[in-house]
Every structure is written in C-alpha cells, then in structure tokens.
Amino acid sequence: MLLELYGAAKVPHRNRDALSRMFGRSSTAVVLKEGSIGGGFGIRGELYPEDFLACVAAMRLGRPVKWIEDRREHLMAANHSREQRHHARVAVDAEAHILALEDEFYLDQGAYVRTHAARVADMTIAMVPGPYRIPAYRSVCHFRLTNKTPAATYRAPGRFEGTFVRERLVDAVADRLGLDRVMVRRRNLITVSEMPFSRPLKALGTEIVYDSGDYPLLLDKALARIGWDSLQGELRRRRAAGELVGSGIAVFVEKGGLGPLDGARVAVDATGAVELVTGGSAVGQGFATAMAQICADTLGVDYRRVRVVSGQTDRIQYGIGAHASRASVMTGSATHAAALKVRAKALEMAASLLQAAPDELDIVEGVVTRRSRPGGASIGLGDVARHLAPDSPTLGERDPGLTAEGWFRTEHMTYPYGVQIGVVRVDAETGQATVERFLLAYDIGRSINPTLVEGQLVGGFVQGLGGALYEEFRYDERGEPLCVTLADYLLPTVREVPSVDVLVTEDAPSPLNPLGIKSVGEGGINGVGAAIAAAIDDAIGMPGGVSRLPATPQRIKEMLREEGRVAVTLARRNRRGERWGISTH
C-alpha cells in the first residue's frame, strides 16, 4: 500500500526518510508532496507529531485523513523562537580596535528538543563575530528546557539575535570612547585583501570560511545611498525642535548554500518543452522562476518553456529541500550542471545531423544553429529529441533521450553580507516607535532575478520589524500562553511598514560555485532589530537604552520614566556609558 502525505514540508525527502523508518517501509512506499503554501521561514522545516499521526490514522482507517488546526492551536504548538538572554562584553584598545569578545547566553528551548536540535544555539555562537576582525572570541550557551512551546529555527536563526548583541556592543564602544559609530565599524571590518577569511568555528557542521566580500565598500555605498551626513544634520535639527528622532546602523554577515550536495534532472521532449525535476522545495521564494531562468539561460531556451517540478519525492529520489537559504546556490548549481549536460548532448546529436563540429554550433531560443551562419541550416531541440528517441534510426550508440542528471557538491557555505540603516521617531507621550525610513544594502554575489531578490529583502525586513517592535509570545506566572490569537500576537501591517530603499550589489561573486551566486532568503531580517534599537537610543538620547526586543511602547515609556522626564537632554550624550552592559532578551 502506497502512503501519501500532502503538506507544507520544506524538507520532504528528509521527512519521507524519517517516516519510512518509523513505519518500517521502503522509501518508495512513502510519498510526500508539498503544496503551494507560501513562506517557510524555518517553522515549516520540521517533522511535527501531526505528520506522523495523520499517516497512522489513514493507515488504520483505510481512508484519507486531513489534519486541521485553528489559529489558537497553531500559535500554541508550532515552533517558537528567538528567546535568548545574553551577557556580552568586548575588549578594545584606545583606537577602538576590537581585541576580544565574550558572550554567555541562555537559550529558552521550551518543553523538549525538536527536529532542529541545538541548531539555533550553534548558529548564534558561530555568527556573533559577524563582519569584524576579532582576535579572541569565547561563547558559552546554556541550553534550557522550560514549560513553554518548543523552540526551533525562525528566519535567520542565531543571526538576528547575534547581530543584535554584536552591534549593540559596537555602539557601546563608540559611546564609551566618544567616537563616531561608523568609524568604529570601519576600523574593525574585515577587508577584501583578507578574503577568503577563515574563523576557527563551525556553522551547521561546516567550517566558517567567508568566501568573498568587500565589507567597507558596501558600507560606503550604503552611507552614500541614504546620505548619511546630511541625514545626521537633519536629525539634529529635528531633535533641537523637540522631536525624538534618531538613526541606527547594523553591519552583518549572512550564510547560505548549505551542502553537501544537490541534484536535478533536465529533459527535453519532442515538442521542445523542457522539464526540470529538482530535490528542492518551493516555499514562496520564487523558486520555480529562478530555477527556470538558470535552466533556460544555460540550455539556450525561453524560460517560459521550462516546467519546474519540486517537492515531490516520487519524481526524484534524493533532495534536501529549501532550508538554510540553500535553494539558489545548491539547487541552482545542480540545475546548471544538468542543463550543461543536456546542452552538450543536444549539440553532439545536432552536429551529426548538420554535418558540423559541436563547437561550431550554438542554441538560441531552442534552435541549434551554426555560429558563423545564423540564417543557415538549423534544427530545433524538439527535433533533436526525436532523433534521440529509443526507436530512432539515428540514435546509434548514444543513450536514448535528450535528458541528463546534474549534481553539485560543496564543502563550505557562501557568505553574503549587508548593511542596514533605519530612522526611527518616538512618540514622547505613548512611547510608540515608528520607523520612518529604512535602507537594505546587500551584496548577493550574483543576482538571478533582481525583482525576486528585492522581494525577499523587503519581506525579511517586515518580519524583522515585527521582531523589533511588536511580536512576542508571552506567558503568565502559571506558564499559560497569553498570545493565542492575532489580537494578542501583534504583527506589523502595511500601515507600520515604512518606505524601504533596497540597494543590491554584485561586487563579490562567490568562487565556490560556477554561477557566483550566494543567497538572499534571510538577509533582509538579519540586522533589523539591531538598527532599530540603535535608532531608538539615538532618538531618546539614552545610549544602551534598548537591551531587549521587542521595544514595545510600554518598555520605551518605562525607559523615559526612569530618566525622570520625557524630553531628555542631560542623558543625551552620557559618555560614561552607565547604561551599557548588554543583557539582551
């Protein structure tokens, strides 16, 4: 009996293998198929208890079974994340060069360990150093089980938290030494001459080697794009007029393209249509469009002629899915490899038919032609496929079919990077923080589809905005969840989203794959919390004031109340730094 599970899994092949082991079945007797379900963001990359239970019920009842949960059940049971408390400190010399960084933090895992195990703790430790040259680094995580909903990954796990801690420390250094915060960052950034840059750390089981990057260049471009100097003058004038308004900046390194390998199969039929079957997954990131573009560009056809099949374990035996921002790098590179093989096979077959050498031919819009005579003899890929049919008299000793599998292997991840700058206004009466402007600067190595890249970055920013100002799972003293509806669990709406400027650069292509691509899925969210926190500090004149996210109106109002006045003046430039001593929650 064939067992089929339809659901929102980002890693269908891995979940298939797990279910096969649980049920003592062959992997070919268990089929998982994903649907068009929108974003994944980490939370869907799990094997949840209901996945197993729905299958058990279907087998015992001998009929289809559907699992349905309401919003309250979902908010109580699906993965939570982010709850960490950090005690961090940094040592610097008189010129603000970082000498050492130490971080001890507590991670609230919830009631038990789920599929992702200690991945969030691992990523936090690995990525806290970020884009800076840090000679000595020590990090200790206390992994705690509590009576809360189990925690796991959520878009940029460990990096959203780690960037907040690191960038708060850099702001503290600038405040303590009375130096410009941009200058402090610039002095400590890893330079392009140091690439590839190795750290004696591992992330997701792979050694951390920053493959390429020019961090100072992107910082310069971001500052120029937002007009940093004139912006500071404008903000000073507004503060002098009584407004509580400020700016914040965060620089970060992301990771993506997790290996070790991925595969794809490309086939051209007798009509010239192309089918691309992958082990990747589509979770709202424009996966099919990007893969179709890579396949079409490599093969020499219109991308609209490419049909992409993903998330179906009965169509391809192996796959790792779409987690860890791996799709573009891994599945894209495998697609490129498969398409190259199909292209070579098509040119070899066409060469024998056109009485030419393969290197004299090219494929343009699905038609094989001579490079030197574009208007001369030609043959379409559909006709080439017919000549490669099993019963074709021209097949000869060739393997039948215009099809090929391609594989891509890697030992290291790619490391894109970004700069984020925000402008925030604080209402003195209510404590409400409003983000007026935000810049997302990001170097992706090479962009497959600029529109999709921008969409991913802006979408990530909105999620980061929620984490910075609104979203929080709260519990009462008995451990009862208080945020079980969208009336209690606040999300940013279109009204709260400011004007977002996106600057995508391609100054540092990755040397680790033939396309030079990196990843973008988690880049938009990474530095949002840190930049907004710094902007709030600047607005209310309290260096180190925001040490906990989300920065809700109640918490900001309490900070203002502690100062004994709403219109802060004396504390605006407290260079002794009493407010620092990062404890992040």
Side-chain angles (χ1 to χ4, degrees):
M1 180 175 66
L2 184 66
L3 179 63
E4 294 184 318
L5 176 64
Y6 295 80
K10 302 196 314 175
V11 286
H13 286 82
R14 286 185 170 178
N15 286 354
R16 174 205 62 188
D17 294 342
L19 290 170
S20 298
R21 290 192 299 270
M22 292 176 186
F23 295 129
R25 286 169 163 255
S26 164
S27 62
T28 59
V30 179
V31 174
L32 268 65
K33 296 186 177 183
E34 67 180 16
S36 299
I37 42 76
F41 313 127
I43 190 172
R44 286 176 171 150
E46 289 277 352
L47 183 65
Y48 285 98
E50 54 266 28
D51 298 324
F52 173 80
L53 295 173
C55 292
V56 170
M59 289 190 295
R60 290 188 179 180
L61 297 174
R63 60 185 299 176
V65 172
K66 184 176 183 178
W67 173 274
I68 300 174
E69 64 184 26
D70 60 24
R71 179 64 65 187
R72 181 177 184 274
E73 292 168 331
H74 178 76
L75 288 174
M76 289 175 62
N79 285 347
H80 292 187
S81 197
R82 299 290 195 231
E83 194 162 1
Q84 300 180 9
R85 184 182 296 272
H86 289 251
H87 300 275
R89 58 181 181 169
V90 61
V92 297
D93 64 18
E95 283 74 43
H97 295 108
I98 296 175
L99 304 176
L101 191 157
E102 183 178 52
D103 182 24
E104 181 178 18
F105 66 100
Y106 295 81
L107 186 152
D108 191 334
Q109 173 59 30
Y112 54 87
V113 181
R114 271 188 166 154
T115 310
H116 289 148
R119 176 167 289 189
V120 178
D122 173 64
M123 287 303 304
T124 304
I125 291 171
M127 299 300 286
V128 160
Y132 304 118
R133 196 182 303 102
I134 301 176
Y137 171 61
R138 186 171 82 96
S139 181
V140 177
C141 173
H142 302 277
F143 194 82
R144 296 291 190 249
L145 299 183
T146 68
N147 63 347
K148 298 179 180 179
T149 298
T153 58
Y154 178 63
R155 203 172 194 174
R159 282 96 75 206
F160 182 88
E161 304 93 321
T163 294
F164 180 82
V165 172
R166 179 188 65 252
E167 295 301 294
R168 296 272 67 201
L169 286 175
V170 176
D171 285 335
V173 169
D175 177 62
R176 282 286 187 95
L177 298 181
L179 300 174
D180 178 74
R181 50 188 165 168
V182 172
M183 182 268 289
V184 172
R185 287 173 166 84
R186 196 187 307 277
R187 283 185 180 177
N188 289 285
L189 287 174
I190 299 164
T191 63
V192 65
S193 64
E194 297 173 89
M195 295 293 175
F197 186 87
S198 299
R199 291 200 188 278
L201 297 167
K202 286 189 175 182
L204 302 181
T206 66
E207 294 179 352
I208 294 182
V209 181
Y210 295 168
D211 50 337
S212 62
D214 193 335
Y215 305 156
L217 176 61
L218 184 63
L219 177 60
D220 290 340
K221 288 186 175 182
L223 295 173
R225 180 68 165 254
I226 204 167
W228 180 260
D229 292 337
S230 61
L231 172 63
Q232 300 312 303
E234 175 193 342
L235 294 177
R236 284 192 293 269
R237 289 190 294 272
R238 291 177 63 182
R239 286 194 291 265
E243 287 189 78
L244 301 183
V245 63
S247 62
I249 185 170
V251 188
F252 63 91
V253 173
E254 252 300 338
K255 65 100 197 104
L258 178 64
L261 79 165
D262 215 343
R265 184 171 64 250
V266 174
V268 182
D269 67 17
T271 70
V274 182
E275 182 181 68
L276 167 62
V277 183
T278 82
S281 293
V283 285
Q285 79 276 48
F287 176 81
T289 300
M291 295 306 108
Q293 285 184 258
I294 292 174
C295 181
D297 186 64
T298 306
L299 188 54
V301 301
D302 188 324
Y303 85 97
R304 290 168 293 188
R305 296 283 284 168
V306 181
R307 174 175 177 264
V308 179
V309 178
S310 63
Q312 299 185 36
T313 64
D314 57 344
R315 291 299 313 275
I316 190 168
Q317 182 61 22
Y318 179 83
I320 297 183
H323 69 106
S325 294
R326 68 185 309 277
S328 294
V329 175
M330 296 303 299
T331 310
S333 295
T335 296
H336 176 70
L340 281 176
K341 290 182 178 180
V342 171
R343 178 185 178 88
K345 190 172 185 178
L347 291 177
E348 190 277 330
M349 181 74 248
S352 67
L353 298 171
L354 298 176
Q355 297 183 349
D359 59 5
E360 295 176 344
L361 304 177
D362 196 7
I363 305 175
V364 179
E365 294 296 317
V367 177
V368 183
T369 62
R370 290 178 182 265
R371 286 195 178 90
S372 59
R373 288 182 287 170
S378 63
I379 184 171
L381 284 179
D383 291 328
V384 174
R386 278 195 289 271
H387 281 281
L388 287 168
D391 58 351
S392 170
T394 56
L395 178 63
E397 298 300 317
R398 304 177 182 88
D399 291 335
L402 188 49
T403 181
E405 281 192 354
W407 295 89
F408 178 72
R409 292 173 171 83
T410 186
E411 295 181 358
H412 298 285
M413 291 189 286
T414 63
Y415 290 89
Y417 53 97
V419 177
Q420 297 183 346
I421 301 173
V423 176
V424 175
R425 183 183 72 257
V426 175
D427 188 298
E429 296 299 323
T430 66
Q432 177 67 53
T434 301
V435 180
E436 294 184 339
R437 295 174 59 189
F438 209 88
L439 170 67
L440 303 169
Y442 194 75
D443 194 290
I444 195 173
R446 182 184 177 192
S447 176
I448 299 170
N449 185 310
T451 300
L452 291 178
V453 170
E454 183 172 339
Q456 285 283 292
L457 289 172
V458 174
F461 162 74
V462 176
Q463 285 184 279
L465 178 65
L469 297 178
Y470 305 102
E471 298 181 45
E472 184 177 27
F473 282 110
R474 293 176 290 108
Y475 294 78
D476 66 16
E477 64 279 0
R478 297 176 301 170
E480 293 290 333
L482 300 177
C483 301
V484 295
T485 73
L486 294 184
D488 308 306
Y489 185 82
L490 301 183
L491 292 167
T493 67
V494 173
R495 183 179 183 276
E496 286 77 41
V497 178
S499 171
V500 180
D501 187 15
V502 178
L503 172 63
V504 177
T505 63
E506 300 177 78
D507 295 319
S510 176
L512 302 182
N513 62 76
L515 299 176
I517 53 181
K518 295 187 177 180
S519 58
V520 70
E522 298 164 283
I525 193 174
N526 192 311
V528 177
I532 289 177
I536 293 173
D537 283 3
D538 193 36
I540 65 178
M542 297 181 188
V546 179
S547 61
R548 178 179 180 181
L549 298 178
T552 62
Q554 296 88 340
R555 288 170 184 154
I556 295 176
K557 189 71 173 178
E558 182 62 28
M559 285 191 294
L560 294 171
R561 190 177 297 115
E562 288 175 359
E563 286 295 307
R565 57 193 178 279
V566 173
V568 291
T569 53
L570 183 60
R572 185 172 298 281
R573 292 293 176 260
N574 181 0
R575 292 303 180 192
R576 294 193 307 277
E578 287 98 337
R579 309 199 69 87
W580 293 105
I582 302 298
S583 176
T584 310
H585 182 68

